[in-house]
Amino acid sequence: MTDDFEAMWADLAPLGRSASTGGYFRQPWHAAEREARAWFAEQAAARGLRLVTDAVGNQVAWWDVPGGSSGRPGDAVLTGSHLDSVLDGGAFDGPLGVVSALAAVDRLRERGVAPTRPLGVSVFVEEEGSRFGLACLGSRLATGEVALEDALARRDRDGTSLEDALAAADLGGGSRDGQAVPGLLDLSGVGCFVELHVEQGRHLVDTDAAVGLASRIWPHGRYRFDVTGRADHAGATRMEDRHDPLLTFSMTALAANKQARLAGQRATFGRLDVAPNATNAIPSRVTGWLDARADSDEALAALVEAITAQAAARAERDGTALSVTPESVSQAVAFDADLTARLGRVGARTGTGAGSGGWPVLPSLAGHDAGILAAAGVPTAMMFVRNPTGVSHAPDERAETADCLTGVEALADVLAELVS
Amino acid sequence: MTDDFEAMWADLAPLGRSASTGGYFRQPWHAAEREARAWFAEQAAARGLRLVTDAVGNQVAWWDVPGGSSGRPGDAVLTGSHLDSVLDGGAFDGPLGVVSALAAVDRLRERGVAPTRPLGVSVFVEEEGSRFGLACLGSRLATGEVALEDALARRDRDGTSLEDALAAADLGGGSRDGQAVPGLLDLSGVGCFVELHVEQGRHLVDTDAAVGLASRIWPHGRYRFDVTGRADHAGATRMEDRHDPLLTFSMTALAANKQARLAGQRATFGRLDVAPNATNAIPSRVTGWLDARADSDEALAALVEAITAQAAARAERDGTALSVTPESVSQAVAFDADLTARLGRVGARTGTGAGSGGWPVLPSLAGHDAGILAAAGVPTAMMFVRNPTGVSHAPDERAETADCLTGVEALADVLAELVS
């Protein structure tokens, strides 16, 4: 059944891919991501799965239990990932989990597995937060962590509100989108969630394993650093008369890197906005977004505090004003220990693990919808597929086809266990 | 005649002004700048001046000599400035010279001056280079320093070529634009050029003078620093595995500031472009534009070399690649000594100078169309009007009305001398 996986992968490959970089631009509710959504609907229909699309575009393709016993609280098994990408992202982050879930359904049917519980393949929207600035927006809405009325007022970089973006996307308007529900996904029937994902590091390369399990997600947050100075002529203004916010920001970016290295944590400024952004004018304002992650909530707070202190000291020296706004902060998430142990036993039994020890267990330094569902009380586990470069969120993100197919087998083994 | 100046100023004030910042966005061939152009055409018509608009939108409103003796090489006197602005610029940089020139024409007529030489009021386009990246584009084209076919291929940030921008602007299509000439302005008849401009510093504040003269323009240049690294996940990538171009850029921005301070020169990064510019991705590329100015050509070269050396050293440490491209470099320009001395005598005679010593003489650290005409061999001088804050290229740019009116009188005195 290599063909099924590879055929699905080939279908998805061109959607939103940049000809110049080879990277993906699948921002939610824009054309490429809508095509990916339509592709998912076609896949569901081809398998006779019952597709549900909610008011923001979260989707679940349900393999209902014959006889109609589905719907008891905690009965259903959910697996899946997302189809959106960061700006110029890789092919695997998100889609690998969706394609693998569909391929795993095919495996179960080939094996003649008759589920006693409903099995859903899920696609949560705006997992990357690349358009409206809040990662895992779809799962945060579905779990009730974020209220819909608050989310609808969010605006993207072009000033479009989520409300207008949803109206323009015309979700569930076509018959091929299946059943459109007026509100948000109802997750009350979900007894467990398993997300398969490409690894975003080289742990599985180092342990020589194609597949691994996640223990936990590091706490992480996004913090907006606004530095305000005074616009002025780049030539005529004496160096000592300036209030240049780019100097404050530059020192802050270097300080973030240094503090993260010293503490063994992570800090990155990847997004910047400069005003007026003219060659011959000293900027009036520089805004940078800090992405910070650490191995404990306390370490994260200490890291951000250290960076903020260095930024504030430099702002005083530059005569600029600094304000720091946490835009989203996610506390540490531990995945369900019992569920993860149960998956581990499947790995040890089926022999797709490294050596005979089963699947390696590693922390995730990236956030995932699985973390949101876990925090909402859904027993949740994650499976990783080896990434030879360790690179992710970039065109170089990779997974070997052989490893992907091992991942599909492993996920099918896991689902066979969970739906029995 | 205070009324004329203030009425013209009030007409221009709302064009392209941002309601949120109070600054101006008059990018060439966009709507606000076209309105300013139409305003200039109306002013020319109201004064019976013969308006000429060339193929790129440079304009001259001619007060022809009665009897028709105009057109001899070197006969005409030209004065004026520009109407475009930097992004979020001030009200005075450019428009003050245009409005003062028109008001000076009114003064000459009130005084009954009968010119023996043609007097033109000029508006050169894209003086700031805010749209197509090359300052003084209009005067560079009119003097032949830049070839039209090269300029037409330039693209703005939205990817629009100058050729398409000009087609969309429909220059000279309306009768109120006066005489549209097929090529570029013919400056062969111009015997001298005087540009009045708001001061972009506090020299006249320090010397307690409303009006001053320019001795020379510092050499200056724009250099594009492209730093290429490797995009990667902001959380999952270990700090020691990164190739983060923002770190290289940040050190470069700090180095530029430090080197300029040490050398007593000027260096600024005011414009930045980050790719992919996503919060949770390490950037793949950062491009920054360095604006550097120095008091000699040698000092400018040494300054840029010192900044480049520090950037290259940091790039090696960060594992990034640096390339530095000079986009435009203007050598030092000395204004015409004889003409400037002649203007100085006018100032001493009429008494609008500081004390009894006439108008102070100061260098300009900003580039101007006057510098382009001077470099092309046109005898050129510049007059400055006091700026109480010294701020320019920003909404806070100011000149007191009383000083502006003194500037108009001074310019009228100068023109009366030159056209006699």
Side-chain angles (χ1 to χ4, degrees):
Chain A
M1 293 311 299
T2 299
D3 290 348
D4 271 8
F5 179 90
E6 291 186 333
M8 283 192 276
W9 202 252
D11 274 357
L12 266 182
L15 304 185
R17 185 168 59 192
S18 159
S20 60
T21 68
Y24 286 88
F25 291 82
R26 291 174 179 160
Q27 274 52 68
W29 307 291
H30 280 314
E33 194 254 5
R34 270 151 61 191
E35 284 187 65
R37 179 188 309 287
W39 168 88
F40 183 72
E42 286 164 14
Q43 296 298 321
R47 286 168 178 79
L49 304 176
R50 177 176 56 86
L51 183 66
V52 173
T53 302
D54 78 2
V56 298
N58 291 316
Q59 294 180 301
V60 181
W62 284 109
W63 182 359
D64 292 316
V65 176
S69 69
S70 66
R72 290 193 304 275
D75 201 39
V77 174
L78 199 65
T79 184
S81 191
H82 63 95
L83 291 173
D84 65 311
S85 77
V86 295
L87 298 163
D88 212 14
F92 296 85
D93 183 345
L96 183 63
V98 176
V99 171
S100 296
L102 291 167
V105 166
D106 296 340
R107 297 293 185 283
L108 296 183
R109 288 172 170 180
E110 289 155 28
R111 296 180 192 175
V113 172
T116 64
R117 300 162 178 274
L119 173 60
V121 177
S122 61
V123 177
F124 288 107
V125 292
E126 180 71 316
E127 195 268 351
E128 300 290 4
S130 68
R131 184 164 175 194
F132 286 95
L134 182 58
C136 302
L137 183 59
S139 59
R140 286 183 204 270
L141 287 164
T143 57
E145 200 230 281
V146 167
L148 183 56
E149 58 267 34
D150 295 339
L152 291 176
R154 295 186 81 92
R155 291 187 180 274
D156 68 10
R157 297 177 201 208
D158 298 330
T160 304
S161 70
L162 175 58
E163 185 164 18
D164 290 343
L166 291 174
D170 191 24
L171 299 166
S175 58
R176 70 176 180 180
D177 285 336
Q179 177 190 359
V181 298
L184 293 161
L185 275 189
D186 176 8
L187 299 176
S188 65
V190 174
C192 64
F193 178 57
V194 178
E195 180 169 2
L196 179 145
H197 202 279
V198 67
E199 195 200 342
Q200 298 171 283
R202 284 198 285 260
H203 191 100
L204 296 177
V205 172
D206 294 345
T207 52
D208 195 25
V211 174
L213 296 174
S215 55
R216 49 198 288 276
I217 298 180
W218 277 27
H220 60 280
R222 298 179 179 195
Y223 309 82
R224 197 179 72 240
F225 281 60
D226 288 298
V227 189
T228 310
R230 192 182 66 201
D232 214 332
H233 192 287
T237 316
R238 291 183 299 186
M239 301 309 289
E240 56 268 35
D241 292 341
R242 297 174 176 218
H243 303 272
D244 185 347
L246 187 65
L247 300 179
T248 311
F249 171 77
S250 294
M251 179 56 83
T252 304
L254 294 172
N257 185 266
K258 184 175 179 184
Q259 293 296 333
R261 277 190 287 112
L262 289 174
Q265 317 292 0
R266 307 274 194 275
T268 309
F269 279 96
R271 181 180 170 199
L272 263 183
D273 185 56
V274 178
N277 208 29
T279 305
N280 54 355
I282 298 160
S284 58
R285 179 186 52 73
V286 174
T287 298
W289 282 261
L290 170 68
D291 180 301
R293 323 219 178 190
D295 54 12
S296 73
D297 296 329
E298 296 70 30
L300 178 62
L303 175 62
V304 175
E305 193 179 313
I307 296 166
T308 302
Q310 282 198 262
R314 177 74 195 206
E316 188 166 345
R317 183 174 148 193
D318 291 330
T320 56
L322 169 74
S323 89
V324 179
T325 309
E327 290 198 334
S328 71
V329 180
S330 304
Q331 296 194 305
V333 172
F335 290 114
D336 189 87
D338 290 345
L339 180 63
T340 302
R342 191 173 168 198
L343 266 55
R345 289 191 295 274
V346 171
R349 189 175 71 224
T350 57
T352 49
S356 57
W359 296 321
V361 180
L362 51 141
S364 170
L365 279 87
H368 299 284
D369 292 318
I372 305 300
L373 269 67
V378 178
T380 298
M382 281 194 80
M383 302 172 69
F384 290 122
V385 170
R386 176 164 50 191
N387 176 341
T389 64
V391 170
S392 67
H393 281 194
D396 285 345
E397 184 181 283
R398 287 283 178 280
E400 301 294 341
T401 301
D403 286 350
C404 293
L405 295 174
T406 302
V408 170
E409 292 301 329
L411 181 59
D413 294 340
V414 161
L415 296 176
E417 162 88 9
L418 295 176
V419 299
S420 299
Chain B
M1 292 310 300
T2 299
D3 289 350
D4 271 7
F5 179 90
E6 290 186 335
M8 284 192 276
W9 204 251
D11 274 358
L12 267 181
L15 304 185
R17 185 167 57 193
S18 159
S20 60
T21 67
Y24 286 87
F25 292 81
R26 291 175 179 161
Q27 273 52 69
W29 308 290
H30 280 315
E33 193 255 5
R34 270 150 61 191
E35 285 187 64
R37 180 187 309 287
W39 168 89
F40 182 72
E42 286 165 14
Q43 296 297 320
R47 285 168 178 79
L49 304 176
R50 177 176 56 88
L51 182 66
V52 173
T53 301
D54 78 2
V56 298
N58 291 315
Q59 295 180 304
V60 180
W62 285 107
W63 182 0
D64 293 315
V65 176
S69 70
S70 66
R72 289 193 306 273
D75 201 40
V77 173
L78 199 66
T79 184
S81 190
H82 62 94
L83 291 172
D84 65 310
S85 77
V86 295
L87 298 163
D88 213 13
F92 296 85
D93 183 345
L96 183 62
V98 176
V99 171
S100 296
L102 291 167
V105 166
D106 296 341
R107 296 293 184 282
L108 295 183
R109 288 172 169 179
E110 289 156 29
R111 296 180 192 174
V113 172
T116 64
R117 299 163 178 275
L119 173 61
V121 177
S122 61
V123 177
F124 288 108
V125 291
E126 180 70 317
E127 195 269 351
E128 300 290 3
S130 68
R131 184 163 174 197
F132 287 94
L134 182 58
C136 302
L137 184 59
S139 58
R140 286 183 204 269
L141 287 165
T143 57
E145 200 230 281
V146 167
L148 183 57
E149 58 266 34
D150 295 340
L152 290 176
R154 295 186 81 92
R155 289 186 183 277
D156 68 10
R157 297 178 200 207
D158 298 329
T160 304
S161 70
L162 175 57
E163 185 165 18
D164 290 343
L166 290 174
D170 192 24
L171 298 166
S175 59
R176 71 174 181 182
D177 285 335
Q179 178 191 359
V181 297
L184 294 162
L185 275 189
D186 176 7
L187 299 175
S188 66
V190 174
C192 65
F193 178 56
V194 177
E195 180 169 2
L196 179 146
H197 202 280
V198 66
E199 196 199 341
Q200 298 172 284
R202 284 197 286 260
H203 190 100
L204 296 177
V205 172
D206 294 344
T207 52
D208 195 25
V211 173
L213 296 174
S215 54
R216 48 198 287 277
I217 298 181
W218 277 26
H220 60 280
R222 297 179 180 196
Y223 309 82
R224 196 180 73 240
F225 281 62
D226 288 299
V227 189
T228 310
R230 192 181 68 202
D232 215 331
H233 192 287
T237 315
R238 292 183 299 186
M239 301 308 289
E240 56 270 35
D241 291 342
R242 298 175 175 216
H243 302 273
D244 185 346
L246 188 65
L247 301 178
T248 311
F249 171 76
S250 294
M251 179 56 84
T252 305
L254 294 172
N257 186 266
K258 184 176 180 184
Q259 293 297 332
R261 277 189 287 112
L262 288 174
Q265 316 293 358
R266 308 274 194 274
T268 310
F269 279 96
R271 180 179 170 200
L272 260 184
D273 185 58
V274 178
N277 209 28
T279 304
N280 54 357
I282 298 161
S284 58
R285 180 187 50 74
V286 175
T287 297
W289 281 262
L290 170 68
D291 181 301
R293 322 219 178 189
D295 54 12
S296 72
D297 296 328
E298 296 71 30
L300 178 63
L303 174 63
V304 175
E305 193 180 311
I307 296 166
T308 302
Q310 281 198 263
R314 177 72 195 207
E316 187 165 344
R317 184 174 147 193
D318 290 331
T320 56
L322 169 73
S323 89
V324 179
T325 309
E327 291 198 333
S328 71
V329 180
S330 304
Q331 295 193 308
V333 172
F335 290 115
D336 189 87
D338 290 345
L339 180 64
T340 302
R342 191 173 167 195
L343 266 55
R345 288 192 295 274
V346 171
R349 189 176 71 225
T350 57
T352 48
S356 56
W359 296 323
V361 179
L362 51 142
S364 170
L365 280 88
H368 299 285
D369 292 318
I372 304 300
L373 269 66
V378 178
T380 298
M382 281 195 80
M383 303 171 68
F384 290 121
V385 170
R386 176 164 51 192
N387 175 340
T389 64
V391 170
S392 68
H393 282 195
D396 285 345
E397 183 182 284
R398 287 282 179 279
E400 301 295 341
T401 301
D403 286 350
C404 293
L405 296 174
T406 301
V408 170
E409 292 301 330
L411 181 59
D413 293 340
V414 161
L415 296 176
E417 162 87 10
L418 295 176
V419 299
S420 300

